[in-house]
């Protein structure tokens, strides 16, 4: 995919509608592991809106269905949850 702006530079607004942008907010994480888990939880939560079934979600995330189930339990998420 090629994004071509009307101007001579490409800004964030030019790609936001085409590519999902996940802004990382620096919080007071105790470790990189905590930061990665926070990102993973938000990423899966956002993906839930795109997958109607567990199988579709596993394909979308490129992980097995059992891994999806385990991560949904870990982060207390359900398939009907949506990022608002």
């Amino acid at each position: 995919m090629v994004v071509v702006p009307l101007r001579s530079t490409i800004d964030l607004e030019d790609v936001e509608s085409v590519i999902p942008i996940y802004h990382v907010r620096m919080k007071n994480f105790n470790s990189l592991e905590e930061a990665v888990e926070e990102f993973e939880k938000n990423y899966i939560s956002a993906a839930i809106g795109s997958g109607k079934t567990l199988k579709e979600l596993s394909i979308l995330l490129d992980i097995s269905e059992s891994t999806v189930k385990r991560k949904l339990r870990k982060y207390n998420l359900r398939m009907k949850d949506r990022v608002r």
Side-chain angles (χ1 to χ4, degrees), residues 36-49:
V36 169
E37 285 180 349
E38 177 76 13
F39 177 84
E40 184 176 62
K41 178 181 178 181
N42 291 333
Y43 191 85
I44 292 170
S45 186
I48 287 172

Side-chain angles (χ1 to χ4, degrees), residues 22-29 35 38-39 42 83-84:
Y22 297 96
H23 299 283
V24 177
R25 289 182 220 119
M26 293 306 293
K27 295 182 181 179
N28 293 325
F29 294 114
E38 177 76 13
F39 177 84
N42 291 333
V83 171
R84 296 179 196 340

Side-chain angles (χ1 to χ4, degrees), residues 1-83:
M1 174 183 301
V2 177
V3 177
V4 182
L6 299 175
R7 300 169 310 284
S8 61
T9 59
I10 296 176
D11 295 323
L12 185 59
E13 304 89 48
D14 296 318
V15 294
E16 277 184 325
S17 63
V18 180
I19 301 170
I21 304 293
Y22 297 96
H23 299 283
V24 177
R25 289 182 220 119
M26 293 306 293
K27 295 182 181 179
N28 293 325
F29 294 114
N30 291 324
S31 66
L32 176 60
E33 182 178 1
E34 267 187 30
V36 169
E37 285 180 349
E38 177 76 13
F39 177 84
E40 184 176 62
K41 178 181 178 181
N42 291 333
Y43 191 85
I44 292 170
S45 186
I48 287 172
S50 299
K52 292 181 175 58
T53 65
L54 194 62
K55 183 172 182 79
E56 288 177 7
L57 187 58
S58 72
I59 291 168
L60 180 67
L61 296 172
D62 195 26
I63 57 178
S64 70
E65 288 182 53
S66 61
T67 299
V68 171
K69 287 179 190 177
R70 189 173 63 253
K71 290 186 183 289
L72 291 174
R73 276 193 307 272
K74 177 180 180 178
Y75 298 122
N76 197 28
L77 299 170
R78 294 178 306 270
M79 288 297 296
K80 64 181 180 177
D81 291 340
R82 300 284 189 269
V83 171

